[in-house]
Amino acid sequence: MENGASSFNQFIHEHSFDSDTSSSSVDYSSEEEEQYTDETICPPSPLSQSSRVSRARSLSRRNRHWMHWFRYIVSWLLFPIKFMLGLPLFIYALSRGRRASRTSENFQSSHVQARKRLQTLRDQVIQSATDRRRGVVEDLHLAIEITIEAVFDFFHKAAHCLLSPIDTLKKLVKWFSSDNSGHVDVPTVGSGVSVPVDTLSESDPTPRQRKTGFHSLNTDARTCQDVITELGYPYEALRVVTDDGYILLLERIPRRDARKVVYLQHGIFDSSMGWVSNGVVGSPAFAAYDQGYDVFLGNFRGLVSREHVDKNISSRRYWKYSINEHGTQDIPAMIERIHQTKVTELENSQKIVEEESGNDQPYKLCAICHSLGGAAILMYILTRRIEVKPHRLSRLILLSPAGFHHDSNPVFTMMECLFLLLSPLLAPFVSAFYIPTRFFRMLFNKLARDFHNLPAVGGLVQTLISYLVGGDSSNWVGVLGLPHYNMNDMPAVSFRVALHLAQIKHTRKFMMFDYGSAAANMKAYGSPQPLDLGEFYSLIDIPVDLVAGRKDKVIRPSMVRKHYKLMKDAGVEVSYNEFEYAHLDFTFSHHEELLAYVMSRLILVGASMKQQPGQKSLKNRRKEGQTSSSR
């Protein structure tokens, strides 16, 4: 249906227009003649004039109807004569046209093909730029419109073929002749075509070809790379391999000569998209880059890049990890890759001061982590300090960090008890919590769009989710509509990560994963019980900034204050602040107050670093040990 009119209405308009225009003159002329003759006798009354007009119109309508049928009857009677006389002339003209066009056939075919292909690519780019994701309700509405249009279009063409036999015969002859002479290959709109896309990057600024098809035009399947490059920022993707073989995606907004580096780590059911989803003004990643930082966006295993060095790894083996692996495998691998990249780039740029040329780390690295990312980064620092290894961090900014969860709503408590009770039965059958097929991910994606387009349904879903999480007022429906919840990829959570969170809530301690037996724990930790990380907070040797949300019902402010109290008692340089935010507002909402606070904490880190803090404290401890032994 184009411009609000269906094909059926267009068909009626086309076949009635000629007869209407031809009879209009007769109608008005008859009216004028009658009116003229009557006016010579007596002035016409309004009633008599209207009756004469109605009689004239009915007469003209009746004549028009009979003329319409008479014309088609004569057309069918004269059809054999027209066919016998017109066929030789038509064949002669067709052959003459072929001979005339044979000399320029190659040029015209290539020119037409190039022009049509260019037009197709232009339409494809325009459609992909303007067409956005549709919901299930919109798809049903569109399917009904297309079906009605197809039915009316069929009847329109069938009636045209019956009422215009000569045009039908010409089209048939032209169709057969075009099949015999060959046709031009033009890509259809539905098929996938290669569209040149500008990708702004300092390492590779050349345009690349992106495969675009019909399936991606009605869903918003943008990645973190798409969001960054569309806003004009440079982008770089780094593949990081962990010690246990997982391949992670470390994304970057590169500023290669910068000696201030920030590493951002997402939380549960999230990805690096959360740090750039608010655009240029409200996203921490862009704000840090504009302040002169080299920005790295980390992704945990199982979220964006579900890859492994073992291509034949089973699903059960792949998802066999807990928060332990996030803190002892994923983050160490990504931070070491950041260290190698920065050292190489700064040495090549020759911007290192001579007295710092022998330093192992000629840059300063700060970490901003949210929710589960905060618990993982704390686990990373503590395990590295226990193993006497450098953690290479200068400051931590933790936004509503996980680690303590015993102060929660009754729904979470019920889920924790039920999960711990059923986990031995579910473990052999459930390896992770995610949507496995592209079809169901697409359905979820479209339903999220319906929640956004239908305020009543969206409000109902928002209320239900808020009640399930204890009244948290985050924009849950808006988060579900973000591009990283799309049909091609969607964040997931392994069974062991969920079990680990339930164990932490049950024990009321920031514990490492309990493998279920003393022998397994002894093999992993050297003790029959998992390590209580809260007892090792005295090993934290860098400043920590804790941020809580007063409206956060997922990780309540009392649980963030638990971190603060333990760190303060352990002598850690720690600060605590609260904002009127819910749990997802720290990343998915635009709050200038929070962004200004985070940037102010980053500024506290100096531009130069004489020595890595962790190594300095270890050397001091060794000197203290030597002096005490000499005494």
Side-chain angles (χ1 to χ4, degrees):
M1 299 183 181
E2 188 176 359
N3 297 328
S6 65
S7 300
F8 182 74
N9 294 333
Q10 186 179 1
F11 162 68
I12 295 297
H13 177 72
E14 289 175 357
H15 284 77
S16 62
F17 182 77
D18 295 336
S19 57
D20 288 343
T21 53
S22 61
S23 62
S24 62
S25 60
V26 178
D27 190 1
Y28 292 127
S29 63
S30 62
E31 288 179 19
E32 291 173 359
E33 289 176 2
E34 289 184 6
Q35 185 175 359
Y36 178 77
T37 55
D38 289 341
E39 284 177 354
T40 58
I41 300 173
C42 61
S45 64
L47 182 60
S48 63
Q49 187 177 7
S50 61
S51 63
R52 284 195 299 270
V53 171
S54 62
R55 285 197 302 270
R57 288 182 178 177
S58 63
L59 180 62
S60 64
R61 193 180 297 110
R62 192 180 299 110
N63 293 336
R64 185 173 57 197
H65 176 73
W66 284 108
M67 288 297 296
H68 180 76
W69 280 106
F70 178 75
R71 185 176 62 181
Y72 279 106
I73 291 173
V74 173
S75 176
W76 276 102
L77 291 176
L78 297 179
F79 172 70
I81 300 174
K82 289 182 179 180
F83 179 76
M84 296 300 296
L85 295 177
L87 184 61
L89 296 176
F90 177 75
I91 294 175
Y92 173 74
L94 185 64
S95 61
R96 185 178 178 182
R98 283 184 180 178
R99 287 194 301 268
S101 61
R102 193 168 297 163
T103 56
S104 59
E105 183 178 3
N106 295 332
F107 173 76
Q108 288 183 357
S109 62
S110 60
H111 178 70
V112 169
Q113 183 177 3
R115 185 174 58 187
K116 289 185 177 181
R117 185 164 306 194
L118 179 62
Q119 182 67 27
T120 303
L121 291 177
R122 188 183 296 112
D123 295 341
Q124 186 85 0
V125 172
I126 293 174
Q127 185 178 7
S128 62
T130 58
D131 193 5
R132 288 300 181 186
R133 183 180 51 195
R134 296 189 300 267
V136 177
V137 176
E138 291 175 289
D139 281 344
L140 290 176
H141 180 70
L142 181 63
I144 292 173
E145 288 185 351
I146 292 175
T147 303
I148 295 174
E149 183 179 6
V151 171
F152 282 131
D153 189 61
F154 172 76
F155 283 108
H156 178 200
K157 291 181 179 178
H160 182 74
C161 292
L162 292 176
L163 299 178
S164 302
I166 294 180
D167 293 340
T168 304
L169 182 63
K170 289 181 180 180
K171 290 180 180 179
L172 288 174
V173 174
K174 186 177 180 181
W175 182 58
F176 281 113
S177 63
S178 62
D179 282 347
N180 294 331
S181 63
H183 61 278
V184 179
D185 228 358
V186 179
T188 59
V189 178
S191 62
V193 294
S194 296
V195 181
V197 179
D198 256 345
T199 302
L200 298 178
S201 175
E202 295 182 2
S203 59
D204 185 15
T206 58
R208 291 181 290 176
Q209 302 289 323
R210 179 179 301 168
K211 199 72 173 178
T212 304
F214 177 79
H215 67 274
S216 64
L217 295 180
N218 63 347
T219 58
D220 191 359
R222 291 176 297 165
T223 61
C224 185
Q225 174 184 357
D226 297 327
V227 175
I228 293 173
T229 55
E230 285 174 1
L231 295 175
Y233 286 84
Y235 175 85
E236 184 179 355
L238 303 174
R239 298 288 176 177
V240 180
V241 181
T242 63
D243 292 338
D244 52 355
Y246 286 81
I247 302 177
L248 310 177
L249 176 62
L250 178 62
E251 299 175 283
R252 183 187 184 189
I253 309 178
R255 193 181 288 274
R256 306 185 189 283
D257 57 346
R259 301 181 60 198
K260 301 182 298 180
V261 185
V262 60
Y263 165 71
L264 298 101
Q265 185 57 57
H266 61 78
I268 195 169
F269 279 116
D270 196 6
S271 68
S272 55
M273 178 71 74
W275 302 110
V276 298
S277 59
N278 292 325
V280 177
V281 179
S283 299
F286 296 135
Y289 180 84
D290 293 337
Q291 293 295 324
Y293 285 84
D294 193 356
V295 181
F296 288 85
L297 308 172
N299 287 284
F300 283 140
R301 61 182 67 187
L303 295 179
V304 174
S305 176
R306 299 179 188 175
E307 300 180 20
H308 198 275
V309 293
D310 184 6
K311 300 301 181 181
N312 300 321
I313 188 173
S314 63
S315 177
R316 182 163 299 279
R317 281 185 54 205
Y318 178 87
W319 295 104
K320 196 175 181 179
Y321 61 83
S322 64
I323 305 177
N324 284 16
E325 281 69 29
H326 289 330
T328 62
Q329 296 288 341
D330 296 350
I331 294 181
M334 288 186 283
I335 288 184
E336 284 302 315
R337 182 60 182 274
I338 294 173
H339 175 70
Q340 296 173 4
T341 302
K342 291 305 298 180
V343 168
T344 303
E345 290 176 351
L346 292 176
E347 286 179 352
N348 294 335
S349 63
Q350 297 179 355
K351 288 191 175 182
I352 302 178
V353 186
E354 292 184 358
E355 62 266 17
E356 294 183 358
S357 59
N359 190 7
D360 180 56
Q361 184 173 327
Y363 63 93
K364 280 207 167 184
L365 175 61
C366 303
I368 304 175
C369 306
H370 175 243
S371 189
L372 184 66
I377 199 75
L378 287 174
M379 185 181 296
Y380 161 73
I381 291 177
L382 295 174
T383 53
R384 300 290 283 193
R385 295 283 288 126
I386 292 173
E387 297 172 357
V388 197
K389 294 180 179 179
H391 53 71
R392 307 193 186 283
L393 293 171
S394 301
R395 194 177 194 92
L396 282 184
I397 302 175
L398 306 182
L399 310 176
S400 188
F404 296 101
H405 303 277
H406 50 272
D407 183 14
S408 61
N409 62 83
V411 177
F412 281 164
T413 304
M414 187 183 304
M415 291 174 59
E416 170 240 322
C417 297
L418 189 62
F419 193 77
L420 291 176
L421 182 64
L422 298 178
S423 59
L425 301 177
L426 295 176
F429 304 101
V430 181
S431 57
F433 300 98
Y434 64 101
I435 301 177
T437 62
R438 296 180 74 250
F439 173 77
F440 288 106
R441 289 197 293 266
M442 179 189 68
L443 185 62
F444 179 87
N445 185 263
K446 289 180 173 293
L447 286 175
R449 182 64 176 177
D450 287 330
F451 298 156
H452 179 76
N453 291 341
L454 304 174
V457 179
L460 178 61
V461 174
Q462 173 73 24
T463 303
L464 291 176
I465 298 178
S466 298
Y467 277 123
L468 288 177
V469 296
D472 189 271
S473 60
S474 300
N475 186 12
W476 299 97
V477 173
V479 170
L480 293 178
L482 289 176
H484 67 324
Y485 288 96
N486 58 70
M487 62 184 295
N488 298 320
D489 198 2
M490 193 170 289
V493 172
S494 72
F495 182 84
R496 283 196 171 187
V497 170
L499 181 60
H500 195 173
L501 291 172
Q503 292 175 356
I504 291 174
K505 178 174 170 51
H506 180 71
T507 58
R508 295 172 172 257
K509 297 179 180 179
F510 187 14
M511 306 280 293
M512 298 192 76
F513 184 72
D514 188 354
Y515 290 94
S517 65
N521 290 333
M522 183 67 70
K523 181 180 180 180
Y525 311 116
S527 63
Q529 296 295 327
L531 296 180
D532 183 3
L533 297 176
E535 298 178 354
F536 295 90
Y537 273 5
S538 59
L539 297 178
I540 300 177
D541 55 354
I542 58 175
V544 180
D545 300 301
L546 298 173
V547 181
R550 297 189 185 98
K551 298 180 180 179
D552 192 344
K553 305 302 180 182
V554 178
I555 301 177
R556 297 187 175 183
S558 60
M559 298 294 92
V560 183
R561 286 195 295 268
K562 179 75 172 179
H563 286 287
Y564 175 75
K565 184 178 183 304
L566 291 176
M567 291 182 185
K568 199 70 175 177
D569 295 341
V572 180
E573 183 182 346
V574 59
S575 66
Y576 176 83
N577 207 338
E578 288 185 4
F579 293 91
E580 290 291 334
Y581 303 147
H583 189 66
L584 300 183
D585 294 342
F586 290 103
T587 54
F588 294 110
S589 296
H590 177 203
H591 294 290
E592 295 183 359
E593 183 184 9
L594 174 65
L595 201 59
Y597 175 77
V598 172
M599 292 299 105
S600 67
R601 308 316 289 181
L602 287 179
I603 294 175
L604 296 178
V605 180
S608 63
M609 184 176 65
K610 300 297 183 181
Q611 196 172 12
Q612 209 275 341
Q615 293 177 340
K616 183 177 180 180
S617 62
L618 287 176
K619 289 182 179 179
N620 291 338
R621 288 193 175 191
R622 289 175 182 174
K623 290 180 179 179
E624 291 177 359
Q626 291 176 359
T627 54
S628 61
S629 62
S630 63
R631 290 177 182 176

